Amino acid sequence: MLRKLMKHEFRATGRIMLPLYLVLLATAFGANLSARGLLNTRYRILDMLGVLLVMAFGIAIFAVCIMSVVVMVQRFYKNLLQDEGYVMLTLPVSVHQQVWSKLIVSAVWFAATVAMVIAAACIVAFDIDFIKYFFQGVGELFGELRKLEAYYAVNGTAIALEVVALCFLGCCAMCLQFYAALAVGHSFASHKMAWSVAFFFIFQFAVQMVTSMIVIFADATGLDYFLANYVHLSYMASIHALMIFLIACVVVYGAIFYVVTTYFLKKRLNLE
């Protein structure tokens, strides 16, 4: 059933995100033309057109990034907290499946947005020399990788996977903070959106306070001195330890908001 929910989510969000990606790529192509021939000409109208195309590209990047977050919040709000909630919450699926379907789809769109922004930047920078230097750089990279020992190759791959896991979990945790604020706010009988905004900032303040307390505690107890002098880790092991610690922190951060979200959706949701 989770797969069917995700399919429905992809269809609903794809109608918004895919056209935005096409607009981004189109403006990137226009910005490329501007950089190659429209700017710094003797015709003022062409200069103005080039500037407008570059500005359109910047606005398109901003719009795509913002809309990926707005669509994520809007889908949760409209699908579960408004009139559609009467239907969605009576389906033979659990609240956990409802939340996970939105989490996974949102994380996929975040990743797709990053990929499209990178692709658009490549289009803007595209020319014959760029292609030559790109493939030359790829060849040099693989040449250097072949020279590496298996130890560094394995650890490099592991670090890359840890970074991907951290980014994915970070996206999910960010989604859950929005979801938790909306779920708590909509447990009230009136002014639901105002309460949701208030609880989002309360949660954000609480996260910052806890983070600051952890940093102060580590500094006051000399945790860094202990790790440096009594826990003897190699350079690679210390990087893995740091990545695992960050992943654990993000998991705890997301798990707290996941519990808050599912609890209020199950026990305290007020759709009236």
Side-chain angles (χ1 to χ4, degrees):
M1 196 63 184
L2 178 61
R3 185 179 64 181
K4 292 182 178 179
L5 289 173
M6 290 175 57
K7 184 178 179 180
H8 175 71
E9 286 296 312
F10 275 121
R11 284 179 176 176
T13 53
R15 288 194 290 265
I16 300 173
M17 297 306 300
L18 293 179
L20 285 175
Y21 291 156
L22 292 176
V23 171
L24 175 62
L25 296 178
T27 57
F29 181 75
N32 179 279
L33 292 179
S34 299
R36 300 289 168 259
L38 295 181
L39 295 177
N40 299 321
T41 66
R42 56 182 180 173
Y43 300 105
R44 185 166 181 79
I45 188 170
L46 292 180
D47 289 343
M48 292 180 61
L49 179 60
V51 170
L52 290 175
L53 289 173
V54 172
M55 289 178 61
F57 174 64
I59 294 171
I61 290 180
F62 179 77
V64 167
C65 294
I66 293 298
M67 283 302 298
S68 64
V69 178
V70 171
V71 169
M72 173 266 296
V73 176
Q74 186 261 351
R75 280 300 301 167
F76 182 86
Y77 171 69
K78 181 179 179 181
N79 202 225
L80 295 179
L81 303 178
Q82 287 193 310
D83 293 340
E84 289 185 20
Y86 288 106
V87 177
M88 296 300 296
L89 294 175
T90 56
L91 293 175
V93 294
S94 65
V95 169
H96 298 284
Q97 289 176 316
Q98 298 273 13
V99 173
W100 271 108
S101 66
K102 289 172 172 53
L103 274 179
I104 295 171
V105 171
S106 297
V108 169
W109 284 122
F110 288 150
T113 298
V114 172
M116 295 304 297
V117 169
I118 294 173
C122 291
I123 291 174
V124 172
F126 176 82
D127 60 12
I128 298 301
D129 290 334
F130 174 80
I131 294 295
K132 181 179 69 176
Y133 291 133
F134 175 78
F135 283 106
Q136 182 180 344
V138 170
E140 292 176 355
L141 175 62
F142 280 104
E144 292 298 323
L145 289 176
R146 284 195 295 268
K147 297 177 183 178
L148 291 177
E149 298 177 1
Y151 171 80
Y152 293 104
V154 171
N155 279 282
T157 303
I159 291 172
L161 293 175
E162 289 164 357
V163 170
V164 171
L166 181 62
C167 293
F168 174 78
L169 293 172
C171 289
C172 291
M174 184 186 69
C175 293
L176 284 167
Q177 184 172 342
F178 281 103
Y179 294 170
L182 287 168
V184 175
H186 282 71
S187 65
F188 292 87
S190 60
H191 307 294
K192 297 179 180 181
M193 187 53 67
W195 280 112
S196 298
V197 173
F199 272 101
F200 176 81
F201 286 107
I202 290 172
F203 290 155
Q204 189 66 29
F205 177 77
V207 169
Q208 293 177 355
M209 283 292 295
V210 171
T211 303
S212 300
M213 290 174 62
I214 291 174
V215 172
I216 293 172
F217 174 79
D219 183 64
T221 57
L223 183 61
D224 55 344
Y225 176 82
F226 173 79
L227 293 175
N229 292 275
Y230 296 100
V231 180
H232 302 289
L233 296 176
S234 66
Y235 177 73
M236 282 295 182
S238 63
I239 294 177
H240 289 306
L242 175 62
M243 294 301 299
I244 292 172
F245 174 74
L246 292 175
I247 289 173
C249 289
V250 172
V251 168
V252 172
Y253 162 70
I256 292 171
F257 289 121
Y258 180 83
V259 170
V260 172
T261 301
T262 54
Y263 172 78
F264 276 86
L265 288 179
K266 287 181 180 179
K267 306 293 184 180
R268 304 293 299 274
L269 182 61
N270 185 354
L271 292 177
E272 297 181 358

